[in-house]
Amino acid sequence: MASEAEGHPANDINIMPSPRLLEVLGDIPYQPWQCLAELIDNAFDDFLNDPNRDLADTPTVRVTLPGPKTPDGDEFVCVADNGRGMDLEKLRKSLRAGHSNNARYGSLGLFGMGFNIATARLGSLTEVKTTRAGDSEWLIAEIDFRRMNRNDSFVIPIRREPKDDPLLHGTEVTVRRLRPDSRDRLRRSNAASQIRERLGNVYSYLLRQPDVVPYLPESAFAGRGFALYIHTPKSVTRVKPRLPCVWSAERTVWYKGSEISPIQTIEKELAPAWACLACGYWHHYEADKCVECESEDLELRERRISGWVGVQRYLDRQDFGIDVLRNGRKILISDRSLFSWENPDTGEVMLEYPIELGSTLGGRLVGEVHLDHVPVNYQKTDFVRGTQEWITAVHAIRGEGPLQPKKATALRYKENSSPLGKLFNAFRRADAGKRCLIPGDGTHALHQKAREWGELFRKEVADYLTDERWWEMAVLHDRLKAEEKEQAAPDPTGKVDNPTSPNGSEQGEDIFSRTGLGDPTSSGPPAPTATPPPAVETDEQRYQRYQQRGYRLHDLCGDIAVGHLGRQEVVVYSTTELLLDADGRDTPSLTRSPRGGKLEVYVNGNHKVFREYGRDPREYAIIAMAEAFRALSPAQSRDSLARVAADVTTRLPDQRFTDATLRERVNDFLQRVRDSLAPVATKHPAALWASLPLPQKEYAAREAQATSPRLSWSEATSDGSFVAYVGLRGVAAIVRSHPDLVLDGEAFRTTWATWSNEDIKVQQVERLARHLEALAEFTSTTDAKSRIELAMIRLTLDLLDQELVEGEQDDVIR
């Protein structure tokens, strides 16, 4: 086969490497929104690097998606922009897959590997159509993986088509013959809205207008004003950027005699370096060619760390953390790794925030930090953290030492004065009032109300775009506390003034003009407010909280004996709470023994080792069990942790990854579902019985006849006891017919009634019903299942275990 060096017609492009390798790129695990983001990145890169961009012509990208009712075979995805477009030579380079992994260190897209992965992941036929202002025609390249494989050819032809408007410019990438998995996900009824929301968060900085947050420092928050639209067969919607809901920089508080603004800007200039424009590698010295790819295309570029960290107007258990951006795109979203400190001497990692606020409140420190010079992984889901560039950035944001003053002093570090350190120390408490910027009612902090106002901010309700409502209630709290203190003090004259009710009409009045208290223009420190010390949570209360915010891993519970190490009655909880070890450090799992022969194991299902690294909480639960069993043996040094963990695993038959054990788990789950439905069936027997299709009524009758031959079936259908014999398809039918009776914590935790949107209600019901039917399908067939199919059933069981509301049981541990 002729190589490119041997010459091709002027209208051909050689897209080495082999087309088979390009097609295999489609198996790399990209979600549809990631594929779209790769293509959007290319357009935004062009906007960012265009020195002659017409400011009157808004940089715009339009994404076209199929709809739920798009006919089979007609589905396609298109990403079109009004950028500069490409000439033939640039198009040639754009379509060739990168030869080095370092290509991912360039700007956002640069086509290359990201373009090839994204298009191959979406479908097998891609058309790239591009033109520049002044050109008389379009250049069109078609990448057909199937045809290239049949012909064993790297070469694709270039077509040329005339265009009507010579001033038109831009690039369109259209993918057809969508892969079945991508097609199905894109055709879901809520796919467009979910993608729109995700892209609005990822590209928040690039999409927002420069003056969208005028009450905040312009240098920190000003956006680029790019436009992004999602087109579907029924609508065209502009993607709205997810804006930061933070306190104004003017709402300062006093900490150790200094005013601390709730917005701390970050601006750190670094020494310029030579960047390879071919692969993105940074050289700290002038070189003739790149040490990575040997390209001679090097350019001296500035490097800086910029952005801000701030205080959100509400506390939340999930919605907080630092966004870290590269070229305007968020790589890390709500990342909390900067809230932990790693001791450089020991390697020990300690979580520092938000442990003082308590896991029930969560955190409120947020931020956006731009690191355009730090390399990222190929999926753009994280930065390469082992580099000196990343370490330097971490120090610029959170300092080198601990955030906690006492910890810093103990380890001989100075008090942390980094941007994040200032916020941590000034806003570490969550007491109501101006001192901590927390709304209150004179008695309690209004955390839930503050979160509700945050939702109104997201919906762009005018009265909640600024922080005025939050500030008024923080000021009001301080005033009501002061009035309460005055009323409680004895009057030396013996007179009693007419008290003002904390619940009176004053909340709607102008507090500043009437009282003079809490004027935000005041330059002095606010008067300290007396707050009662928080109640200390007992160990028993803490473990009860773990249990209440979690669920049991039933396949790990039971009476477990491990050789000479003894026997324990074990119950395992997967919780959503932060778990701390004896030294106050974040840990994925821990154990306790409330009394002899009993063992409780807790795993934090939200720990990053599970959430970000794909580990199974069961693995860590078993490790925790093994540690507890080793501690029982006087000769524990002879039993390695790995050996004991293996012994524990073999004592748990449900852990075997076989068809038979999964069927046992399904049967156990079905019995627990029946138990959870029993109270509902007792109250509404006629409604639930009527909701069962005839085949499911017959199934229940056969089950009852086989297991309870003396049962009066007519009585069972009238008093609700029939529910003890329904199958999983029958349960799914009940969920679909009567979500009002069985959801929202009645039998399943899935929410339904609180949603006002009917489409969302339907989605909630269908998601749960489909999972139940998947288990029914598994048990109804005897075909051999692959390991992946078995894994899917296990994950479905895990998901449904979380959904099921179970009543009081005879626990193996009390």
Side-chain angles (χ1 to χ4, degrees):
M1 179 180 300
S3 69
E4 188 174 17
E6 294 171 352
H8 286 295
N11 288 336
D12 289 349
I13 294 180
N14 187 325
I15 62 168
M16 289 180 67
S18 73
R20 177 58 189 151
L21 177 57
L22 288 176
E23 188 173 20
V24 169
L25 293 176
D27 294 327
I28 295 176
Y30 269 47
Q31 298 180 30
W33 78 264
Q34 289 178 290
C35 298
L36 297 172
E38 287 290 346
L39 304 179
I40 295 168
D41 283 349
N42 296 315
F44 283 173
D45 271 338
D46 187 58
F47 299 154
L48 291 169
N49 294 316
D50 182 3
N52 301 314
R53 178 163 54 87
D54 183 1
L55 298 180
D57 188 11
T58 301
T60 302
V61 175
R62 298 183 179 275
V63 178
T64 302
L65 302 175
K69 296 183 179 180
T70 301
D72 293 345
D74 291 347
E75 308 95 343
F76 70 91
V77 170
C78 179
V79 177
D81 66 67
N82 63 348
R84 289 175 290 181
M86 294 178 281
D87 59 17
L88 181 59
E89 183 57 29
K90 187 172 182 181
L91 181 60
R92 288 180 189 275
K93 294 179 180 179
S94 298
L95 297 184
R96 294 187 59 180
H99 294 283
S100 166
N101 287 336
N102 288 314
R104 65 182 182 267
Y105 298 163
S107 55
L108 280 182
L110 285 181
F111 282 81
M113 276 298 190
F115 169 80
N116 286 280
I117 293 172
T119 54
R121 189 72 186 84
L122 288 171
S124 63
L125 179 62
T126 300
E127 179 186 86
V128 180
K129 184 176 180 181
T130 186
T131 189
R132 300 174 301 168
D135 289 347
S136 61
E137 57 190 6
W138 290 90
L139 297 178
I140 304 172
E142 186 177 84
I143 304 173
D144 187 334
F145 291 130
R146 296 177 185 175
R147 184 175 61 200
M148 289 194 302
N149 276 327
R150 287 196 305 268
N151 299 337
D152 193 23
S153 171
F154 306 143
V155 179
I156 60 174
I158 293 293
R159 303 197 321 270
R160 298 172 186 266
E161 292 182 359
K163 66 180 185 182
D164 297 332
D165 183 359
L167 298 180
L168 190 65
H169 53 89
T171 301
E172 298 178 6
V173 179
T174 304
V175 184
R176 302 183 188 276
R177 292 206 305 252
L178 302 185
R179 292 165 59 105
D181 55 340
S182 297
R183 179 194 63 208
D184 293 344
R185 296 184 70 174
L186 289 171
R187 290 179 61 176
R188 292 174 182 170
S189 60
N190 61 342
S193 61
Q194 289 182 343
I195 289 173
R196 188 168 60 245
E197 182 177 351
R198 183 74 182 197
L199 296 179
N201 195 0
V202 169
Y203 295 112
S204 171
Y205 174 77
L206 295 175
L207 296 179
R208 63 178 179 247
Q209 299 298 324
D211 59 349
V212 74
V213 278
Y215 55 94
L216 298 171
E218 181 179 352
S219 61
F221 290 85
R224 294 299 186 118
F226 294 172
L228 177 60
Y229 291 87
I230 300 294
H231 292 240
T232 67
K234 288 189 174 182
S235 66
V236 177
T237 308
R238 184 164 182 168
V239 176
K240 295 181 180 179
R242 189 177 195 276
L243 302 179
C245 183
V246 291
W247 285 92
S248 165
E250 306 303 319
R251 308 296 194 193
T252 58
V253 303
W254 287 81
Y255 176 74
K256 291 189 174 181
S258 299
E259 277 190 296
I260 306 297
S261 170
I263 300 294
Q264 297 288 319
T265 57
I266 300 170
E267 193 66 36
K268 182 178 178 62
E269 294 284 345
L270 303 176
W274 292 86
C276 174
L277 301 186
C279 74
Y281 185 80
W282 289 90
H283 304 72
H284 297 280
Y285 56 89
E286 185 174 1
D288 294 330
K289 58 184 179 181
C290 177
V291 299
E292 288 290 321
C293 70
E294 298 189 349
S295 169
E296 297 180 359
D297 194 4
L298 303 179
E299 182 179 287
L300 185 65
R301 287 190 172 183
E302 295 181 349
R303 299 182 307 147
R304 65 167 53 88
I305 302 166
S306 63
W308 59 274
V309 289
V311 181
Q312 197 165 242
R313 300 177 203 164
Y314 55 88
L315 290 115
D316 193 271
R317 291 175 56 197
Q318 299 297 327
D319 184 14
F320 70 100
I322 310 298
D323 297 334
V324 190
L325 296 78
R326 180 171 169 274
N327 282 24
R329 168 180 169 169
K330 292 181 184 180
I331 303 298
L332 298 175
I333 298 178
S334 298
D335 183 70
R336 297 164 203 165
S337 64
L338 292 170
F339 300 148
S340 296
W341 180 72
E342 180 176 357
N343 190 324
D345 299 324
T346 65
E348 177 186 18
V349 178
M350 295 181 294
L351 178 69
E352 298 189 278
Y353 180 83
I355 56 176
E356 291 198 21
L357 298 179
S359 55
T360 56
L361 293 179
R364 56 173 174 158
L365 297 187
V366 295
E368 287 182 349
V369 181
H370 298 258
L371 303 178
D372 295 348
H373 63 289
V374 182
V376 299
N377 63 20
Y378 80 92
Q379 280 189 295
K380 300 177 186 173
T381 57
D382 201 354
F383 289 85
V384 180
R385 299 188 180 228
T387 63
Q388 186 58 48
E389 287 85 357
W390 172 258
I391 295 172
T392 299
V394 170
H395 290 169
I397 299 166
R398 61 149 292 137
E400 296 187 33
L403 298 174
Q404 302 174 74
K406 291 183 179 179
K407 180 68 70 174
T409 301
L411 294 172
R412 298 184 178 180
Y413 283 90
K414 294 181 180 179
E415 182 169 339
N416 196 314
S417 60
S418 68
L420 192 59
K422 290 180 180 178
L423 295 184
F424 171 84
N425 287 304
F427 297 95
R428 63 196 302 178
R429 297 183 63 84
D431 302 328
K434 294 183 298 179
R435 170 60 189 84
C436 298
L437 294 185
I438 296 288
D441 61 4
T443 305
H444 305 100
L446 300 176
H447 295 304
Q448 179 59 35
K449 183 62 67 176
R451 282 190 286 271
E452 292 173 3
W453 296 340
E455 290 299 315
L456 295 174
F457 169 91
R458 302 286 174 213
K459 295 176 181 178
E460 300 183 0
V461 177
D463 289 344
Y464 297 89
L465 293 181
T466 71
D467 63 3
E468 201 63 35
R469 181 59 57 89
W470 286 263
W471 174 252
E472 287 176 355
M473 294 307 294
V475 171
L476 177 67
H477 175 87
D478 287 347
R479 175 185 175 171
L480 295 178
K481 289 283 291 184
E483 290 178 349
E484 180 182 9
K485 186 175 181 179
E486 290 177 1
Q487 293 167 9
D491 188 342
T493 67
K495 298 179 180 180
V496 180
D497 293 332
N498 184 28
T500 302
S501 171
N503 297 318
S505 60
E506 297 176 346
Q507 295 187 19
E509 298 179 29
D510 184 351
I511 298 171
F512 303 140
S513 63
R514 284 198 309 103
T515 67
L517 294 175
D519 188 340
T521 62
S522 173
S523 59
T529 58
T531 56
V536 178
E537 186 181 46
T538 66
D539 284 346
E540 189 62 31
Q541 291 171 332
R542 179 161 59 97
Y543 285 104
Q544 287 180 0
R545 173 164 53 82
Y546 293 164
Q547 296 175 22
Q548 292 168 356
R549 291 178 172 84
Y551 64 100
R552 292 189 191 183
L553 295 176
H554 288 272
D555 54 313
L556 297 182
C557 299
D559 192 353
I560 301 175
V562 181
H564 66 285
L565 298 181
R567 178 185 301 273
Q568 294 277 291
E569 290 182 7
V570 180
V571 63
V572 181
Y573 295 93
S574 178
T575 183
T576 57
E577 294 294 279
L578 177 72
L579 303 179
L580 302 177
D581 63 14
D583 296 324
R585 297 171 301 181
D586 181 16
T587 180
S589 61
L590 55 79
T591 62
R592 78 157 180 166
S593 298
R595 60 180 185 271
K598 312 292 182 181
L599 178 66
E600 293 177 1
V601 182
Y602 298 87
V603 288
N604 174 11
N606 281 336
H607 194 278
K608 70 177 182 180
V609 76
F610 309 130
R611 186 181 66 250
E612 300 177 11
Y613 294 88
R615 299 297 92 191
D616 188 338
R618 288 177 177 79
E619 298 171 2
Y620 283 72
I622 291 174
I623 291 173
M625 281 188 231
E627 289 180 330
F629 275 101
R630 285 181 74 224
L632 298 175
S633 172
Q636 58 178 302
S637 60
R638 296 183 309 190
D639 295 292
S640 70
L641 182 61
R643 177 180 174 181
V644 178
D647 285 345
V648 170
T649 303
T650 61
R651 300 304 193 277
L652 299 166
D654 275 344
Q655 298 308 294
R656 288 179 294 172
F657 216 62
T658 66
D659 185 284
T661 53
L662 286 175
R663 287 178 185 273
E664 291 177 8
R665 273 197 67 189
V666 173
N667 290 335
D668 174 70
F669 171 77
L670 175 57
Q671 187 55 54
R672 290 187 284 115
V673 171
R674 291 166 172 170
D675 293 342
S676 295
L677 286 174
V680 181
T682 301
K683 296 177 183 178
H684 309 281
L688 266 60
W689 176 249
S691 67
L692 294 179
L694 181 59
Q696 299 313 311
K697 290 179 178 178
E698 294 174 348
Y699 175 94
R702 289 194 299 270
E703 281 285 292
Q705 190 275 331
T707 58
S708 306
R710 298 182 180 180
L711 179 71
S712 171
W713 188 238
S714 61
E715 292 181 8
T717 58
S718 61
D719 64 15
S721 57
F722 72 89
V723 80
Y725 308 97
V726 297
L728 287 165
R729 285 193 175 91
V731 177
I734 290 173
V735 169
R736 286 194 174 101
S737 299
H738 291 289
D740 55 323
L741 299 181
V742 299
L743 303 188
D744 295 306
E746 294 299 325
F748 296 94
R749 291 188 173 90
T750 297
T751 57
W752 181 81
T754 57
W755 297 101
S756 58
N757 185 291
E758 291 301 321
D759 288 340
I760 294 178
K761 285 188 170 184
V762 171
Q763 292 161 18
Q764 292 287 85
V765 171
E766 282 302 307
R767 181 183 63 85
L768 179 58
R770 284 197 300 268
H771 288 316
L772 293 166
E773 289 172 339
L775 296 187
E777 179 66 22
F778 169 72
T779 55
S780 65
T781 62
T782 57
D783 299 338
K785 305 293 192 303
S786 68
R787 181 173 179 80
I788 293 178
E789 289 174 309
L790 295 175
M792 291 176 65
I793 293 300
R794 179 175 177 175
L795 291 173
T796 301
L797 280 163
D798 289 348
L799 186 149
L800 289 173
D801 271 340
Q802 298 180 54
E803 295 287 346
L804 188 61
V805 175
E806 301 182 75
E808 293 296 323
Q809 303 175 8
D810 292 326
D811 298 347
V812 294
I813 290 185
R814 289 288 185 184

